[in-house]
Amino acid sequence: MRSATKILLDESEAPRRWYNLIPDLPEPPPPVLHPVTHQPVGPDDLAPLFPMALILQEVTTDRYVDIPDEVAEIYRLWRPSPLYRAHRLERALDTPARIYYKYEGVSPSGSHKPNTAVPQVFYNAQDGIRKLTTETGAGQWGSALAFACGLFDVDCEIWQVRASYDGKPYRRSMMETFGATVHPSPSDRTESGRKILADDPDTPGSLGIAISEAVEVAATHDDTRYALGSVLNHVLLHQTIIGEEALVQLAQAGETPDLLVGCTGGGSNFGGLMFPFLREKWAGRMSPVVRAVEPTACPSLTRGTYAYDFGDTAGTTPLMKMHTLGHDFIPDPIHAGGLRYHGMSPLISHLYEEKEIEAIAKPQSECFAAGVLFARTEGIVPAPEPTHALAAAIEEALRCKESGEEKVILTALCGHGHLDLPAYGAYLAGEIVDKDWADADVQAELAAALAKLPAMST
Ligand SMILES: *Cc1c(COP(=O)(O)O)cnc(C)c1O
């Protein structure tokens, strides 16, 4: 058993429930607040944007939520996803550590995003919603939502961050192939987009701006709602299918993890893998260290402030207490577009504040080096986002080489990089530059963005 390379679950062993971490938290998380009144939001405040089923999942204190049959049936197209042991990477590193990765690149759009896109569209379709709007950074979320909308015959309109719209034309083609309409963001189709363009016509855009545009269109049309691909509790809930499967697979391999490591943009693949393991840890059945890895160009956990902030740039969303660089902060257009978000999931932020998880930041050159080594040993070209987790896994494996420790390391390889090959091309040509966080301009930008955090009365 122990030397298995690929651990697959039968459909009959597939988990049938998502896991909600909230009732097991040692301390309850701070409430989400109304952007104007600063009072905790109620279900009615969110109803223009989301279907009630998702709003209830956002706040439920039930430990488990059943996966609807219709969703489970679609999951079967790619789930359960494989867990691999990285034997060849271990050998290349000459490490006594055992490295496992849960591979989400087998999904229709090539990442973990369909795990939540499918149930989100399902609940909206059940409500009779005809159209969903959303933003996309790297294009991964847009592709996943476009795919899911197609299955339920719901229209899909997507604002793609300008830098990625220009740099990743194949992602746009994929979204359009699945039937979606795609606009670059900022666009002249919304008030928030026009405002940003008037200030800076050449802006590369940001996730925060694209969210403002998609939310604006959903809020002003009755038959249209909005879908978010990360950050919110219900998104992380749906992603726990990753960790629930991985728990069973790792047990089948006869292993208990010592280190869980994952990349964090808004925190959904990370939370999805980690939450079931944290439950096991709090129940005393294992004691892994849990480590988040973010890019040095957008280090919300390690350099941000823990404060109430808006989820979007225009300041229209409810206020969430999270680690944030400020909703005005526009990160450098790094290749890991999915990690370019100014804030962090409130649940992940809360866990970090409570010291239940650790966080580190990695420059993109180190991450691409890890991605290339991984491709050359394991045969999968990773998306730029999970190369951050791979870089941290490799770092730990090399430490094990020094100390002789046989640690078991588990990471989420949350997507493949087949549509990110221009970024690999740039890396191989020596064209990748790392953002220096100590740079005076960056510090001034951050200070300006943090100064615009909403003033709270408490
Ligand atoms: C969207 C995305 C991310 C970042 O989002 P999280 O919510 O932090 O998971 C990371 N990796 C890939 C492949 C993505 O598509």
Side-chain angles (χ1 to χ4, degrees), residues 111-113 140 230 263-270 338-339 383 385-386 414-415:
S111 79
H112 63 292
K113 298 292 202 311
Q140 290 273 19
S230 185
C263 68
T264 46
S268 74
N269 88 82
F270 180 83
L339 306 183
E385 292 85 1
C414 54

Side-chain angles (χ1 to χ4, degrees), residues 290-294 301-302 352 357-361:
V290 181
R291 187 172 297 151
V293 192
E294 54 188 14
L301 281 174
T302 53
Y352 184 53
I357 63 171
E358 301 177 354
I360 57 172

Side-chain angles (χ1 to χ4, degrees), residues 51-74:
M52 201 45 72
L54 291 176
I55 295 172
L56 294 178
Q57 287 182 3
E58 194 62 23
V59 295
T60 182
T61 50
D62 292 346
R63 185 168 280 112
Y64 294 97
V65 175
D66 286 335
I67 300 174
D69 289 345
E70 293 88 337
V71 172
E73 192 193 318
I74 297 169

Side-chain angles (χ1 to χ4, degrees), residues 104-105 109-114 136-141 144 171 207 229-232 235-236 239 242 262-272 293 336-341 344-345 348 382-387 412-417 420:
E104 292 294 312
S109 60
S111 79
H112 63 292
K113 298 292 202 311
T136 195
Q140 290 273 19
W141 168 240
R171 270 287 162 200
L207 274 169
S230 185
V231 178
L232 300 180
V235 179
L236 275 62
Q239 294 295 355
I242 304 173
C263 68
T264 46
S268 74
N269 88 82
F270 180 83
V293 192
L339 306 183
R340 271 186 86 222
Y341 184 60
M344 181 52 59
S345 144
I348 303 296
E385 292 85 1
T387 62
L413 189 62
C414 54
H416 67 63
D420 302 287

Side-chain angles (χ1 to χ4, degrees), residues 72-356:
E73 192 193 318
I74 297 169
Y75 273 180
R76 261 179 241 135
L77 285 172
W78 72 96
R79 308 212 70 85
S81 68
L83 178 77
Y84 287 91
R85 168 134 176 228
H87 285 293
R88 287 163 189 80
L89 175 63
E90 291 168 17
R91 241 173 271 150
L93 297 170
D94 190 23
T95 177
R98 298 194 289 281
I99 304 172
Y100 290 84
Y101 57 97
K102 177 73 167 158
Y103 185 42
E104 292 294 312
V106 293
S107 86
S109 60
S111 79
H112 63 292
K113 298 292 202 311
N115 296 335
T116 183
V118 171
Q120 288 194 45
V121 178
F122 166 75
Y123 292 118
N124 274 291
Q126 266 200 326
D127 260 15
I129 289 301
R130 304 296 319 137
K131 189 198 233 179
L132 286 174
T133 64
T134 198
E135 72 293 332
T136 195
Q140 290 273 19
W141 168 240
S143 311
L145 194 71
F147 155 71
C149 281
L151 297 182
F152 291 98
D153 206 17
V154 170
D155 289 346
C156 186
E157 190 169 5
I158 299 168
W159 277 261
Q160 183 174 12
V161 174
R162 179 94 234 179
S164 138
Y165 185 91
D166 293 339
K168 298 192 165 187
Y170 299 126
R171 270 287 162 200
R172 170 160 45 120
S173 302
M174 188 176 198
M175 292 184 260
E176 290 172 347
T177 300
F178 281 134
T181 309
V182 186
H183 315 294
S185 170
S187 75
D188 58 9
R189 306 183 148 257
T190 65
E191 209 171 299
S192 36
R194 286 188 292 270
K195 210 163 141 216
I196 303 262
L197 283 175
D199 285 350
D200 181 5
D202 298 324
T203 176
S206 71
L207 274 169
I209 295 168
I211 293 174
S212 294
E213 296 200 90
V215 166
E216 181 181 323
V217 170
T220 50
H221 293 81
D222 275 352
D223 62 347
T224 303
R225 289 214 188 106
Y226 165 72
L228 187 61
S230 185
V231 178
L232 300 180
N233 298 351
H234 68 265
V235 179
L236 275 62
L237 172 80
H238 300 153
Q239 294 295 355
T240 59
I241 188 78
I242 304 173
E244 292 290 15
E245 287 177 7
L247 259 179
V248 180
Q249 288 164 309
L250 208 55
Q252 285 187 359
E255 299 279 31
T256 314
D258 298 299
L259 174 68
L260 300 167
V261 62
C263 68
T264 46
S268 74
N269 88 82
F270 180 83
L273 178 67
M274 307 309 169
F275 287 1
F277 284 90
L278 281 171
R279 174 189 67 214
E280 299 302 303
K281 181 175 179 175
W282 292 332
R285 287 188 280 270
M286 52 178 68
S287 51
V289 168
V290 181
R291 187 172 297 151
V293 192
E294 54 188 14
T296 48
C298 191
S300 52
L301 281 174
T302 53
R303 301 274 186 158
T305 298
Y306 187 50
Y308 274 102
D309 196 8
F310 297 107
D312 72 324
T313 302
T316 50
T317 69
L319 292 164
M320 297 175 285
K321 189 146 188 194
M322 58 182 178
H323 289 84
T324 178
L325 300 166
H327 59 277
D328 245 20
F329 186 79
I330 298 189
D332 252 21
I334 50 167
H335 292 288
L339 306 183
R340 271 186 86 222
Y341 184 60
H342 67 271
M344 181 52 59
S345 144
L347 280 179
I348 303 296
S349 294
H350 179 66
L351 287 167
Y352 184 53
E353 205 58 22
E354 296 292 319
K355 304 203 163 35
E356 299 289 344

